Amino acid sequence: MKKVIKWVLLITATVGILCFLALLIIPRFVDVQKYKPLIESKVSEASGRPFTLGGDLKLSLFPWAGLALSDLRLGAPPGFKEGDFITIKSFEFQVKLLPLLFKDIQVKQFVLIEPRIVLEKSKDGKANWDGLGKVETEVSAKPEAKEKKPKDKGEGGLPIESLVVGTFIIKDGNVLWIDQVRKERHELKELTLSLDGISLDRPISMSLTGLVEGKPLSLKGKIGPLGKKPGEGSVALDLSARVFETVTAKVKGLVTDAATRPVYDLDVQIEPFSPRKLATAFGKPLPLTPADPAVLKRLALKGSFQGSTQTLRVKDGVLDLDDSKLSFSADIKEFSKPNVTFDLNLDQIDLDRYLPASQNAPGKTETAAQPAKKADYTPLRKLVVDGRVHIDKLKVKNARVQDIDLKISGRNGFLNLDPLSMRLYEGDMKSKATLDVRGNTPT
């Protein structure tokens, strides 16, 4: 019996040594470069675009299974100004082999250097991402006669027991947007994404930095835990974004079933900032020039947002604009219509400060009126609305009004305002009105 055990141990040790030597020797003697044309051909076939690997392929098997690529290029369709749709300077990935047998993924590093994505629309309205993977889609779209089998309870999600990633970084990324129709060009530069402490059972720390139109952008916080089936179940978010060194936004809450039917429950807060400074940082003028240069210096927002891809509910919303405060709630369903229920309460506002200065001021001449475009009432015909508005104090065109109450309801192009009441100049006014846009001429 002892001899049998001895021989079993000897054979096992020999096999282990041979496997170890094979993992060390194979990458040194196998010419992986000859597989480059095959890889290029398969990716081109799957994407429907030209694909090239300009650099060498590097393969390692022990102690980490690793793959390193460089100078990757996925081309754009003919007729676009930018020849490449995606380029990557270098990519490196290393994972431990033996733990994979037990569905345990241990990644040493995932490093992506200088990825560049170009999103371009040509003058005829075509986009360079149209038809991406068209060949694959057409094949998979063919009907099959096979019967659909019900999914097992354990089916779905990633077939893994644990996940640990040492280094995950995407460095110096670039996203370029070109619209030849509108003659617009926008660019995100120096995008760097770093994830720390990646696992399935602990929150993941993330940091994203970059430049938007040359202005700094940052996003930091924590995501997770992801759970053993990423994309299923609830995932916690606690993120803070800083834009143009002017606006700070915070998001905290849960996202559930992100991969299938995403549902979110988030508390959102935008800390006070100056819209004027933001417009200056963005290099854009304000849409309107208010009569009072002292307004639009303070804006803040907070509220609880719940919903899915088809619904949105806002609770405890508060919008601060200079000296005014708007409390609001809303419930939106069927975005294609939409179906809207809302409640707005405004404490005070002086609209004369926000309206543009009079065009008829001394020294200015009136310009000839341009013919009005024909109005499209289709959105109003689709709208389903039921809402209430209350304003404590309102000043407009030097008229002062208090305690404005308005209830609006309607559908299919027929809107009803009832009641409409207010106090002005020590008197009360109550009224009601309807707006009918079911025909070409509103009444």
Side-chain angles (χ1 to χ4, degrees):
M1 186 66 181
K2 290 182 179 180
K3 289 185 178 181
V4 174
I5 296 175
K6 182 179 179 180
W7 279 105
V8 169
L9 292 175
L10 181 61
I11 293 172
T12 303
T14 303
V15 172
I17 293 172
L18 290 175
C19 291
F20 173 74
L21 292 174
L23 292 174
L24 290 177
I25 295 172
I26 288 175
R28 298 178 180 276
F29 289 91
V30 175
D31 183 14
V32 295
Q33 305 305 321
K34 67 180 182 180
Y35 294 101
K36 281 176 58 178
L38 177 62
I39 295 173
E40 292 173 341
S41 173
K42 291 297 183 182
V43 175
S44 296
E45 183 181 342
S47 64
R49 307 288 176 84
F51 176 76
T52 58
L53 280 169
D56 291 338
L57 275 170
K58 295 181 180 179
L59 178 68
S60 61
L61 293 177
F62 191 84
W64 300 89
L67 177 65
L69 307 170
S70 60
D71 192 16
L72 290 78
R73 295 179 180 273
L74 182 64
F80 287 89
K81 184 177 179 181
E82 296 285 335
D84 291 322
F85 177 50
I86 297 176
T87 61
I88 298 173
K89 183 178 181 180
S90 66
F91 167 73
E92 186 173 358
F93 177 77
Q94 290 184 333
V95 61
K96 254 184 179 177
L97 270 181
L98 294 180
L100 292 177
L101 300 175
F102 307 98
K103 300 181 180 180
D104 178 12
I105 300 179
Q106 297 182 22
V107 179
K108 182 180 181 181
Q109 63 180 6
F110 179 102
V111 180
L112 195 60
I113 304 297
E114 293 186 20
R116 184 173 186 264
I117 302 175
V118 179
L119 305 174
E120 183 178 357
K121 274 192 173 182
S122 61
K123 291 182 179 179
D124 57 3
K126 294 181 179 179
N128 66 346
W129 60 86
D130 289 341
L132 185 63
K134 186 176 180 181
V135 175
E136 184 79 8
T137 304
E138 287 179 349
V139 172
S140 61
K142 292 181 179 180
E144 296 182 3
K146 296 180 180 179
E147 293 183 2
K148 293 184 178 180
K149 297 181 180 179
K151 288 186 177 182
D152 296 331
K153 290 184 178 180
E155 197 174 338
L158 293 176
I160 60 178
E161 292 296 329
S162 64
L163 170 69
V164 176
V165 180
T167 301
F168 183 102
I169 187 168
I170 299 175
K171 188 176 181 181
D172 292 333
N174 184 288
V175 179
L176 178 61
W177 166 263
I178 302 174
D179 191 334
Q180 304 287 1
V181 179
R182 298 183 178 182
K183 297 182 179 179
E184 293 179 348
R185 182 186 177 97
H186 303 288
E187 192 167 13
L188 306 180
K189 291 183 177 180
E190 300 179 21
L191 292 173
T192 297
L193 172 64
S194 176
L195 301 179
D196 295 323
I198 298 179
S199 71
L200 298 179
D201 53 5
R202 295 192 305 271
I204 301 170
S205 298
M206 70 163 294
S207 174
L208 172 68
T209 59
L211 298 176
V212 182
E213 305 295 343
K215 305 297 180 181
L217 162 75
S218 67
L219 177 64
K220 296 181 179 181
K222 292 186 176 182
I223 303 174
L226 300 178
K228 289 192 175 181
K229 293 185 178 180
E232 298 182 14
S234 296
V235 176
L237 300 179
D238 189 354
L239 303 173
S240 177
R242 181 79 171 164
V243 184
F244 298 164
E245 298 182 338
T246 304
V247 182
T248 299
K250 297 180 179 180
V251 178
K252 188 174 183 178
L254 297 173
V255 176
T256 304
D257 295 337
T260 53
R261 295 182 178 179
V263 177
Y264 53 87
D265 185 352
L266 305 171
D267 290 327
V268 178
Q269 179 180 357
I270 300 177
E271 296 183 353
F273 71 96
S274 170
R276 287 183 178 271
K277 288 184 179 179
L278 179 62
T280 301
F282 207 89
K284 300 286 185 180
L286 292 169
L288 296 174
T289 304
D292 187 351
V295 300
L296 297 180
K297 288 189 175 181
R298 185 180 185 277
L299 180 65
L301 172 69
K302 65 178 181 179
S304 176
F305 295 79
Q306 303 170 347
S308 64
T309 56
Q310 295 297 322
T311 64
L312 170 62
R313 175 172 291 178
V314 184
K315 299 190 301 182
D316 303 323
V318 177
L319 175 69
D320 291 313
L321 176 62
D322 298 321
D323 300 326
S324 303
K325 176 172 287 190
L326 174 68
S327 301
F328 62 94
S329 62
D331 196 349
I332 306 174
K333 305 172 184 176
E334 301 174 273
F335 290 157
S336 58
K337 285 187 177 180
N339 185 334
V340 183
T341 303
F342 64 87
D343 192 332
L344 309 179
N345 286 276
L346 179 64
D347 62 351
Q348 62 175 5
I349 191 165
D350 183 351
L351 288 181
D352 291 340
R353 301 176 65 195
Y354 295 90
L355 294 174
S358 174
Q359 299 297 317
N360 297 322
K364 290 189 177 182
T365 58
E366 293 188 22
T367 57
Q370 298 295 323
K373 294 182 179 179
K374 187 177 179 180
D376 180 12
Y377 299 105
T378 303
L380 284 178
R381 295 181 187 126
K382 292 181 178 180
L383 178 66
V384 178
V385 63
D386 184 7
R388 174 185 169 272
V389 178
H390 177 83
I391 304 174
D392 289 339
K393 296 180 181 180
L394 171 67
K395 179 173 176 281
V396 56
K397 298 295 183 181
N398 289 320
R400 298 178 184 274
V401 188
Q402 297 86 34
D403 294 334
I404 300 173
D405 272 305
L406 166 64
K407 190 175 187 304
I408 179 171
S409 60
R411 62 174 59 235
N412 300 326
F414 189 84
L415 304 178
N416 188 39
L417 282 65
D418 185 11
L420 169 59
S421 64
M422 65 186 72
R423 291 195 307 111
L424 65 166
Y425 302 108
E426 300 182 2
D428 295 334
M429 186 193 86
K430 292 184 179 180
S431 180
K432 61 182 179 179
T434 59
L435 175 62
D436 188 348
V437 292
R438 291 175 292 184
N440 293 329
T441 304
T443 59

